[in-house]
Amino acid sequence: MTPAPSSTAARERDERVANRSAYEAVIERLSKASVDKHWEPYRDIPWDDPEFLVDPADPRWELPEVDKLGGHPWYRSRPPEVRATIGLWRVATAMKIGLQFENLLKRGLLNYAYRLPNGAPEFRYVYHETIEEGHHGMMFQEFVNRTGLPIRGMPGPLSAVAQVAPWIPLISTELFFVFVLGGEDPIDHVQRKVLKDGRAHHPLEETIMRIHIAEEARHISFARHYLRNRVPRMPAYRRFMLGIAAPIVLGVMARIMLAPPLAMIKHFRIPSNVVSEVYLRNTAAKNEIRESVGKTRELCAELGLVNALTRRIWRAMGIWADPR
């Protein structure tokens, strides 16, 4: 069994890819890393280890007080087993939405790879990423299954609209990789914060998150370097359209990834005033969404996709912050 990474500190580094050879060197490095360091869900996670069994009443599932809902008096007044089950529901829903997003991502990657010419280094890397995303989907679904909770993931209407995403590469590969970052960056942001909060986490949740963070670092790096290589060479009118679309995609994706599950709110009868206080009118919740896309926002500014017009769209979507 390959142990899960012990640290989340390392990130894939951004490199200058102004010329083709530098860009291909990055892709080759990422492909090699996928061979040298990868995990398989049914080999590297001890699902049936007694310490890894999922008990909905386990207090380690409770939301911390720093969580927007976890610190609310309504939540703190619930019985311990209810608080634990709400926390587990939150984690399981995040994993279900994650695997649904990665399902869309895999189909989009394969549509992109379908048209690549012979000898393209992107082909090999995209297949490495597709395989890794398949493993992530399996471990997320296995976790959901073991909770025994009726987890749904994305709401039905949203899931139906999301079926458009895999076809984006046929229109604009650049927009597709903005979509990729819109889903992956918020999850990565939250998981890194969770593992650094100093609390005792359930070993199954922690193992899954550490594996996911380690492999997603490569996926995020590929998307960023792809955009660094492609966007500067786009015609001005296409770059302008991408600059308009990017904040809309990122704003919507961040909210999908971080929003509270409606089914959980209904199941536990969370009062509407609590939902409003915690998620809709909470400054910290709004800041969390803004921060979750911070790295992609900085990348868009670096690539010249932010101007006086598009900055207004970033602000309207609630995800703009002045550069530090």
Side-chain angles (χ1 to χ4, degrees):
M1 186 177 79
T2 304
S6 59
S7 172
T8 61
R11 295 178 186 264
E12 288 289 335
R13 63 186 184 277
D14 277 357
E15 299 180 22
R16 294 186 179 277
V17 289
N19 59 64
R20 183 69 187 180
S21 61
Y23 170 66
E24 291 186 359
V26 170
I27 297 175
E28 290 172 7
R29 175 172 61 79
L30 294 175
S31 292
K32 185 177 185 301
S34 288
V35 174
D36 295 342
K37 186 187 294 185
H38 66 275
W39 291 264
E40 296 185 20
Y42 294 103
R43 183 194 67 186
D44 299 321
I45 300 177
W47 297 99
D48 296 320
D49 186 314
E51 293 186 2
F52 278 58
L53 297 182
V54 178
D55 176 4
D58 189 323
R60 289 175 293 185
W61 297 121
E62 285 194 31
L63 297 171
E65 291 196 17
V66 296
D67 182 278
K68 286 70 182 175
L69 177 60
H72 196 279
W74 178 87
Y75 179 80
R76 304 312 306 171
S77 68
R78 301 304 96 185
E81 62 275 13
V82 174
R83 294 200 302 268
T85 305
I86 291 175
L88 177 59
W89 194 301
R90 192 88 164 93
V91 172
T93 298
M95 292 198 187
K96 184 70 176 183
I97 291 176
L99 76 88
Q100 290 171 330
F101 164 74
E102 290 183 346
N103 180 290
L104 301 170
L105 170 59
K106 290 193 291 286
R107 285 185 275 158
L109 286 173
L110 291 175
N111 277 335
Y112 163 62
Y114 188 88
R115 299 189 297 170
L116 287 173
N118 295 340
E122 294 93 342
F123 182 91
R124 174 186 165 185
Y125 174 76
V126 163
Y127 269 74
H128 280 307
E129 181 169 335
T130 302
I131 292 166
E132 290 166 0
E133 297 290 19
H135 287 165
H136 296 172
M138 285 191 284
M139 71 180 181
F140 286 169
Q141 185 62 59
E142 186 66 28
F143 178 91
V144 171
N145 293 346
R146 288 171 182 257
T147 69
L149 300 175
I151 303 299
R152 291 182 55 191
M154 292 185 193
L158 176 61
S159 181
V161 172
Q163 302 310 309
V164 174
W167 302 103
I168 296 176
L170 303 183
I171 302 170
S172 170
T173 53
E174 297 83 7
L175 180 59
F176 175 71
F177 284 106
V178 169
F179 163 79
V180 169
L181 291 174
E184 290 183 338
D185 260 346
I187 293 177
D188 184 73
H189 171 81
V190 169
Q191 289 185 334
R192 287 177 184 272
K193 284 187 65 174
V194 168
L195 291 180
K196 293 177 181 177
D197 65 8
R199 297 171 61 242
H201 301 105
H202 191 284
L204 180 56
E205 177 193 16
E206 182 167 340
T207 298
I208 289 174
M209 284 197 294
R210 289 189 182 280
I211 290 173
H212 188 249
I213 287 171
E215 294 189 329
E216 286 298 325
R218 294 193 290 266
H219 306 171
I220 291 171
S221 180
F222 177 77
R224 290 176 65 85
H225 283 99
Y226 183 89
L227 292 172
R228 283 175 180 272
N229 180 62
R230 290 282 299 228
V231 171
R233 297 185 290 112
M234 294 173 69
Y237 77 94
R238 290 190 59 212
R239 201 161 55 245
F240 175 73
M241 295 302 295
L242 182 63
I244 291 176
I248 298 173
V249 170
L250 294 171
V252 170
M253 290 302 300
R255 285 169 172 79
I256 291 173
M257 294 302 178
L258 303 183
L262 182 60
M264 181 188 81
I265 292 171
K266 291 181 177 179
H267 184 86
F268 293 100
R269 299 178 180 176
I270 302 176
S272 58
N273 67 300
V274 174
V275 175
S276 179
E277 290 173 22
V278 169
Y279 297 112
L280 303 181
R281 294 189 286 108
N282 189 299
T283 301
K286 295 177 181 178
N287 287 340
E288 186 76 17
I289 290 174
R290 187 179 302 114
E291 291 173 7
S292 74
V293 298
K295 291 185 178 299
T296 305
R297 181 176 59 243
E298 291 172 4
L299 176 64
C300 288
E302 175 192 330
L303 296 177
L305 297 178
V306 178
N307 55 41
L309 171 62
T310 59
R311 190 179 295 111
R312 293 183 180 181
I313 303 175
W314 286 88
R315 292 187 188 281
M317 296 302 298
I319 55 173
W320 177 255
D322 291 323
R324 290 173 291 183

